[in-house]
């Protein structure tokens, strides 16, 4: 387990529910706050990579859809309509903090041996330019995260690809909750009991929920990377997690490094 000072490379996953805030409407104050928090980390010399969903949520908002479409091709089209808006929103918020950003669209296939190096080199070079890579699934050609996941597994693959020091998964819940709805602070092993606590999320806007977050956590801790699930709607949460990972949300301890 690296000390918090050695959290140099941090992957932050931002879920769709944060963009829609349950009302199919963008919460710009929250996006500005997230951007400001990331800028603080960059100023501290850390390398931050964002994995963000929200293309479908913003596409729904542009098209004034109140229900998430059911057909896969419709979801892919809505994502294409929303993706540029997602980047526009990030661009505006980050520019206020003096940061540039880069759009990186990936599929699970891009983590195969052949393209692994290309993805890794490009993202690391974006970081060298002091810009913020913002990664989403390439929804036009891939459907894994649309069907089930909301980019949770993608964020784990990215953290492993980049050999990150920490994966922070931001959602609209405070962490993994026990049967009494209390946050479990530390998870050492993802066993059957832990898995039984996972429940689903707001399916009107996105898919995934705690099941895919636990799967993402399982993947990264097996690769020696700690993972924190925390509530992204709390202002200042990213900085709080990086400063004290045992005090905000649920931390999953790495198995080996
Ligand atoms: N790539 C999708 C998006 O950005 C994933 C989230 C989802 O399926 O709702 O919207």
């Amino acid at each position: 387990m690296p000390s918090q000072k050695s959290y140099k490379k941090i992957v932050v996953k931002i879920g769709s529910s944060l963009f829609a805030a349950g009302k199919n409407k963008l919460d710009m104050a929250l996006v500005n706050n997230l951007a400001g928090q990331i800028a603080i980390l960059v100023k501290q010399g850390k390398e931050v990579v964002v994995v963000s969903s929200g293309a479908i949520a913003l596409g729904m908002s542009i098209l004034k859809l109140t229900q998430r479409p059911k057909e896969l091709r419709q979801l892919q089209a809505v994502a294409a309509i929303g993706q540029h808006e997602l980047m526009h929103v990030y661009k505006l918020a980050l520019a206020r903090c003096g940061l540039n950003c880069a759009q990186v669209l990936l599929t699970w296939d891009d983590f195969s041996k052949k393209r692994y190096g290309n993805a890794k080199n490009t993202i690391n070079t974006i970081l060298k330019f002091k810009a913020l890579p913002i990664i989403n699934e390439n929804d036009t050609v891939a459907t894994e995260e649309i069907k089930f996941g909301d980019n949770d597994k993608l964020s784990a693959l990215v953290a492993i690809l980049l050999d990150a020091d920490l994966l922070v998964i931001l959602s609209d819940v405070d962490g993994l909750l026990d049967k009494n709805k209390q946050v479990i602070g530390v998870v050492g092993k993802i066993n059957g009991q832990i898995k039984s606590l996972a429940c689903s999320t707001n399916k009107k806007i996105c898919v995934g929920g705690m099941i895919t977050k636990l799967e993402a956590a399982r993947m990264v801790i097996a690769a020696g990377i700690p993972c924190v699930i925390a509530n992204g709607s709390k202002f200042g949460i990213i900085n709080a997690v990086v400063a004290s990972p045992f005090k905000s949300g649920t931390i999953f301890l790495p198995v080996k490094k």
Side-chain angles (χ1 to χ4, degrees):
M1 176 83 180
S3 74
Q4 65 196 60
K5 273 204 181 127
S6 62
Y7 289 156
K8 166 103 172 104
K9 191 173 269 184
I10 300 160
V11 175
V12 180
K13 188 252 160 171
I14 300 175
S16 301
S17 54
L18 294 175
F19 283 95
K23 294 178 227 108
N24 200 21
K25 193 171 171 289
L26 179 72
D27 185 347
M28 198 63 207
L30 181 61
V31 178
N32 283 330
N33 184 265
L34 292 169
Q37 295 182 64
I38 290 165
I40 289 171
L41 294 178
V42 172
K43 277 196 193 104
Q44 289 170 352
K46 301 190 187 298
E47 294 181 315
V48 184
V49 174
V50 166
V51 176
S52 179
S53 40
I56 293 175
L58 292 184
M60 284 171 63
S61 175
I62 290 170
L63 296 170
K64 300 192 172 33
L65 303 178
T66 49
Q67 289 288 332
R68 185 179 163 98
K70 297 255 179 309
E71 267 187 51
L72 204 48
R73 69 177 72 181
Q74 286 181 332
L75 287 167
Q76 291 177 274
V78 173
I81 291 165
Q83 176 61 28
H84 65 88
E85 180 65 11
L86 181 67
M87 288 309 299
H88 180 65
V89 162
Y90 273 117
K91 187 186 158 187
L92 289 180
L94 290 164
R96 288 161 55 118
C97 309
L99 286 178
N100 290 318
C101 59
Q103 171 179 269
V104 179
L105 298 177
L106 296 174
T107 70
W108 288 8
D109 287 346
D110 297 327
F111 295 87
S112 67
K113 252 189 191 163
K114 209 174 146 198
R115 298 189 196 158
Y116 200 83
N118 286 342
K120 186 173 179 164
N121 290 340
T122 304
I123 296 166
N124 280 330
T125 307
I126 293 167
L127 290 169
K128 293 259 171 319
F129 279 119
K130 300 271 176 246
L132 181 75
I134 299 177
I135 300 170
N136 196 353
E137 186 174 50
N138 188 345
D139 294 315
T140 304
V141 294
T143 56
E144 281 85 357
E145 297 289 344
I146 285 184
K147 280 193 226 153
F148 193 68
D150 193 39
N151 285 348
D152 290 325
K153 190 169 167 190
L154 184 70
S155 71
L157 291 171
V158 168
I160 295 165
L161 172 86
L162 299 174
D163 198 18
D165 299 306
L166 179 67
L167 170 63
V168 182
I169 298 181
L170 296 180
S171 185
D172 57 356
V173 290
D174 288 341
L176 180 65
L177 305 182
D178 65 17
K179 285 188 180 130
N180 300 318
K181 305 282 175 227
Q182 300 299 308
V183 176
I184 299 175
V186 183
V187 174
K189 200 168 175 216
I190 301 176
N191 52 23
Q193 195 198 345
I194 291 293
K195 282 187 197 158
S196 72
L197 297 170
C199 57
S200 62
T201 190
N202 183 359
K203 290 207 169 62
K204 254 176 123 178
I205 294 161
C206 58
V207 289
M210 198 48 79
I211 296 167
T212 52
K213 284 171 188 52
L214 286 186
E215 177 59 14
R218 188 198 59 75
M219 289 164 68
V220 292
I221 63 174
I225 303 167
C227 173
V228 175
I229 297 175
N231 192 335
S233 64
K234 288 187 177 162
F235 280 21
I237 189 73
I238 305 174
N239 298 149
V241 167
V242 174
S244 312
F246 284 88
K247 287 192 184 153
S248 314
T250 303
I251 184 163
F252 296 82
L253 304 177
V255 175
K256 67 171 178 68
K257 184 77 180 179

